[in-house]
């Protein structure tokens, strides 16, 4: 079992009711169900098992296993109906069961999102960071909070590791019902493009939908950039009462409407919320947030980089939209101690600053390195960047990631990041090719803050003449090499793995935490 929380008590729902609601046709007895899952491995007694057609298998193959585990009925498509009948279970047949899964789960768990203030955050980069800042603001307002995202799921004091960024509809509705049981008042959740595309958040009305930015990612899942954009746009199809969009990202323009709340870290006064007087404060930053009616709030964020001013403004605008006082919200955001694996400082002695960041796509690399370059400049040091790309994922982004690293760092060490089933040397070669191409071209100015300048796929990227590029096989060896090459004042940035605790090689998850490895290497002086 995955450990995804379920509610303690659930009022039984009759299949006839679900059949009328979804709609679906019922064959067999009108039994009652007390839970729902899409995975035979997660079935609990009394569950409705949703047997879905997948990219690899049809869930109908697992109906007998689900029945053995205690499933009392099946929700499926026409192809799954016969296997369900053969297993002796009543069956609900819907044209597209995945599309109605959210509605079914919401009905079974008593429509929990209607009892919660829901804040959904989408965007290519910044969802996790913004969600933590929102949660901190909600807490400052005295609410019991829920947070659902890539790193973890938190319901009040309960913390469980997340399986993915946005849970499947069945799991999500169970988590929300458990949240409501635990007196949670407001939930902030990351909404991935996968989730919107396959309907994981169907059945949820959001008080706020927030959008960080649109860049290059997940073209292994989406058929193209337009499809990726259309998936994210679904959060703004009427399901979010207030829509908060990044004014600085021109890609979001098509989604702007008269009632849109916008924010600008670049300080555009055309935005509803805009930042001025951005200044460094220890590792983080302070700024003034200007909002509707001429309000000006002293604000801060404990993380560096203009992109984190953008994340903080989005958090502030979202909090105000759900009724939190702007000053309270700003205090809460500033009090957030940091986000696991997002520009996270490594605790180690010495004159080298070690930072771990989850940047694993081009614009995140641009943003992270821009933030660290400012810090390095203040320390009179260089930026040493360690970068790899994940195996069995979008191959198109690899050279662009290499190029972004070369443009933002003084020294790039190309190494491995979850090679999965691929040849690590071939992945490194693709990343390195992009980095080397960038080095051969003139270095451009970098712009950050939503409108991160991002090389377009297929086009040449502007360069980084003075940057040195080396390749080291094996992440541990690469970290040791980074520490060996670092001098006083330098910043070592390990990009790509952030909060991850494993390195996936050939189907095996080997324990590996960048934060632990870098601290050890810095501590021993490698
Ligand atoms: C691309 C994608 O989203 N795929 C999802 C899809 O998988 P699929 O269609 O391939 O399913 P399948 O493996 O063919 O199996 C078919 C059905 O049989 C069921 N099954 C399968 C085996 C078994 O023993 N018992 C069983 O019941 C499965 O649960 C599934 O419902 O349906 C499954 C559930 O029905 C999801 O678990 C699965 O997410 C996969 C695991 C996944 O990795 N998704 C990632 C890419 C994802 O969602 N990422 C986003 C974004 C992250 C980011 O921003 O970086 C996220 O929100 O995490
Ligand atoms: N607003 C932003 N604009 C550009 N880059 C950002 C922004 N916020 C964070 N980043 C960068 O992207 C990385 C991932 O950030 P975060 O986890 O907050 O985003 P995410 O959207 O949840 O990412 P993912 O989908 O990869 O889980 C960070 O480590 C940082 O380098
Ligand atoms: N949710 C993302 C995370 C990628 C992180 C990076 N370390 C990699 O392995 O590419 C994925 O699974 O594609």
């Amino acid at each position: 079992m995955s450990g995804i929380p379920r509610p303690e008590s659930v009022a039984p729902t009759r299949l006839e009711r679900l059949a009328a609601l979804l709609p679906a046709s019922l064959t067999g007895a009108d039994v009652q169900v007390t839970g729902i899952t899409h995975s035979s491995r997660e079935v609990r007694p009394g569950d409705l098992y949703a047997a879905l057609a997948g990219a690899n298998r049809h869930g109908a193959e697992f109906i007998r296993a689900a029945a053995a585990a205690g499933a009392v009925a099946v929700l499926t498509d026409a192809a799954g109906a016969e296997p369900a009948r053969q297993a002796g279970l009543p069956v609900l047949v819907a044209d597209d069961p995945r599309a109605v899964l959210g509605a079914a789960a919401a009905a079974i768990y008593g429509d929990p999102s209607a009892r919660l203030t829901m804040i959904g955050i989408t965007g290519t980069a910044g969802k996790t960071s913004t969600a933590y800042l929102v949660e901190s603001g909600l807490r400052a307002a005295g609410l019991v909070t829920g947070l659902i995202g890539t790193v973890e799921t938190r319901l009040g004091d309960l913390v469980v590791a997340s399986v993915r960024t946005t849970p499947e509809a069945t799991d999500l509705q169970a988590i929300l019902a458990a949240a409501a049981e635990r007196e949670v008042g407001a939930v902030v959740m990351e909404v991935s493009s996968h989730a919107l595309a396959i309907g994981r958040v169907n059945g949820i009305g959001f008080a706020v939908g927030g959008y960080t930015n649109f860049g290059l990612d997940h073209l292994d899942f989406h058929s193209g950039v337009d499809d990726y954009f259309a998936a994210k746009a679904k959060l703004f199809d009427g399901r979010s009462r207030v829509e908060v969009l990044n004014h600085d990202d021109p890609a979001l323009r098509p989604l702007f409407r008269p009632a849109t709340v916008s924010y600008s870290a670049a300080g555009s006064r055309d935005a509803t919320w805009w930042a001025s007087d951005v200044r460094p404060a220890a590792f983080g930053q302070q700024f003034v947030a200007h909002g509707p009616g001429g309000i000006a709030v002293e604000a801060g964020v404990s993380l560096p980089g203009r992109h984190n001013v953008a994340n903080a403004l989005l958090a502030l605008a979202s909090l105000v939209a759900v009724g939190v006082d702007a000053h309270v919200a700003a205090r809460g955001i500033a009090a957030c101690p940091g986000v696991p694996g997002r520009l996270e400082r490594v605790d180690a002695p010495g004159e080298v600053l070690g930072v771990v960041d989850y940047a694993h796509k081009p614009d995140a690399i641009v943003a992270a390195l821009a933030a660290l370059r400012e810090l390095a400049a203040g320390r009179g040091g260089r930026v040493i960047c360690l970068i790899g790309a994940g195996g069995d994922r979008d191959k198109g982004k690899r050279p662009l990631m290499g190029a972004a690293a070369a443009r933002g760092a003084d020294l790039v060490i190309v190494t491995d990041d979850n090679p999965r089933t691929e040849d690590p040397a071939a992945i490194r070669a693709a990343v390195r090719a992009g980095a080397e191409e960038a080095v051969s071209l003139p270095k451009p100015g970098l712009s950050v803050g939503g409108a991160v300048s991002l090389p377009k796929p297929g086009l040449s990227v502007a360069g980084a003449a003075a940057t040195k590029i080396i390749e080291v096989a094996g992440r541990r060896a690469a970290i040791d090499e980074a520490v060996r090459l670092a001098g006083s004042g330098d910043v070592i940035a390990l990009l790509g793995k952030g909060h991850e605790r494993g390195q996936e090689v050939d189907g095996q998850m080997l324990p590996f935490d960048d934060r632990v490895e870098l601290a050890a290497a810095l501590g021993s002086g490698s």
Side-chain angles (χ1 to χ4, degrees):
M1 293 253 175
S2 62
I4 287 171
R6 289 233 198 161
E8 299 274 326
S9 85
V10 180
T13 304
R14 291 209 165 274
L15 293 184
E16 285 284 13
R17 193 182 144 226
L18 291 174
L21 179 87
L22 297 181
S25 66
L26 172 63
T27 309
D30 179 22
V31 300
Q32 302 187 121
V33 294
T34 50
I36 177 168
T37 179
H38 62 278
S39 169
S40 59
R41 292 165 289 211
E42 302 289 329
V43 168
R44 299 192 190 181
D47 271 0
L48 174 63
Y49 169 59
L52 307 173
N56 313 303
R57 316 289 290 264
H58 195 298
E61 293 172 42
F62 309 101
I63 288 175
R64 283 190 188 280
V72 295
V74 177
L75 167 65
T76 188
D77 55 16
E82 191 46 35
R85 277 191 289 269
Q86 282 171 11
L89 293 182
V91 56
L92 288 167
V93 175
D95 290 342
D96 182 357
R98 205 183 276 277
V100 297
L101 207 53
I108 290 166
Y109 293 122
D111 200 7
S113 71
R115 287 174 276 148
L116 299 160
T117 299
M118 298 293 305
I119 301 173
I121 307 290
T122 198
T124 304
K127 297 182 292 297
T128 304
S129 307
T130 305
Y132 275 78
L133 298 176
V134 170
E135 195 210 25
S136 195
L138 291 169
R139 282 183 190 222
L143 288 153
V144 179
T145 57
L147 175 141
I148 301 170
T150 310
V151 179
E152 59 194 359
T153 299
R154 303 210 297 227
L155 307 180
D157 295 334
L158 176 74
V159 182
V160 291
S162 286
V163 178
R164 58 186 60 103
T165 297
T166 310
E168 297 302 329
T170 53
D171 296 331
L172 178 55
Q173 294 291 338
I175 292 169
L176 296 178
E181 261 181 359
R182 290 171 168 267
E183 310 291 319
V184 167
V187 171
V188 57
M189 66 175 290
E190 298 180 44
V191 187
S192 66
S193 60
H194 299 71
L196 287 156
I198 66 172
R200 292 181 194 158
V201 291
N202 288 358
I204 295 181
F206 289 94
V208 175
Y211 202 148
T212 59
N213 47 60
F214 181 73
L216 180 71
D217 204 15
H218 300 313
L219 294 184
D220 46 355
F221 176 76
H222 298 285
S223 62
V225 173
D226 291 346
D227 183 55
Y228 179 40
F229 188 82
K232 290 210 170 290
K234 286 186 175 180
L235 189 57
F236 308 93
D237 64 2
R239 70 181 85 198
S240 301
R241 188 170 49 77
V242 180
E243 300 177 343
V244 187
L245 301 178
N246 188 349
H247 176 90
D248 299 335
D249 189 345
L252 307 193
R253 285 285 144 205
L255 299 176
F256 273 66
R257 299 193 252 203
T260 298
V261 172
S262 60
Y263 63 96
S264 170
S268 169
R269 290 162 191 236
D270 294 335
T272 320
W273 290 91
W274 49 279
S276 75
D277 306 291
V278 180
R279 54 212 181 270
F283 189 64
Q285 309 169 80
Q286 285 190 330
F287 60 97
V288 179
H290 303 265
I295 185 175
V297 183
E298 190 54 45
V301 58
S302 65
L303 293 160
R306 190 54 74 103
H307 64 285
N308 279 312
V309 174
N311 295 339
L313 274 179
L314 170 53
L316 182 58
S318 303
L319 288 159
V320 170
V322 297
V324 178
D325 173 81
H327 297 275
V328 173
R331 269 205 304 279
I333 291 166
C336 179
V339 182
R342 276 61 180 171
L343 292 179
E344 182 176 343
R345 269 173 303 176
V346 161
D347 194 13
E351 298 302 314
V352 175
L353 175 64
V355 176
V356 168
D357 188 79
Y358 196 45
H360 57 86
K361 40 201 149 193
D363 39 0
I365 294 168
V366 172
L369 292 179
L372 296 176
R373 175 159 295 288
E374 267 183 42
L375 275 177
R379 300 162 54 86
R382 303 168 302 161
V383 177
I384 300 175
C385 167
L386 195 137
I387 184 85
D392 304 332
R393 296 289 187 271
D394 189 355
K395 290 192 167 71
K397 72 178 181 179
R398 292 174 187 170
L400 301 178
M401 290 169 67
R407 291 162 66 200
D410 300 295
L411 168 62
V412 176
I413 303 178
V414 177
T415 188
D416 305 326
D417 178 348
N418 293 328
R420 302 193 175 85
T421 63
E422 286 193 56
D423 171 17
I427 303 176
R428 290 197 303 273
V431 174
R432 185 174 179 163
E436 280 169 352
E437 188 188 349
V439 168
S440 68
L441 295 163
K443 192 162 189 147
L446 295 174
S447 78
V448 210
V452 169
S453 65
L454 177 63
K456 294 280 178 276
L459 296 182
S460 297
V461 290
T467 307
K468 190 165 179 303
I469 295 152
I470 59 175
E471 183 180 328
V472 180
R475 201 164 177 97
R476 185 165 292 129
I479 294 173
D480 288 344
E481 185 64 2
V483 171
R484 197 182 66 76
L485 293 172
S488 177
D490 287 352
V491 175
I492 297 179
L494 307 189
L495 302 188
K497 294 187 72 67
H499 62 286
E500 291 178 359
R501 292 174 193 272
Q503 178 85 317
E504 194 180 333
V505 185
D506 261 341
Q508 247 198 312
M509 188 61 84
L510 309 172
F512 198 97
D513 186 324
D514 268 358
R515 297 162 294 188
V516 174
E517 299 295 336
L518 182 55
L522 284 171
S524 67
S526 265

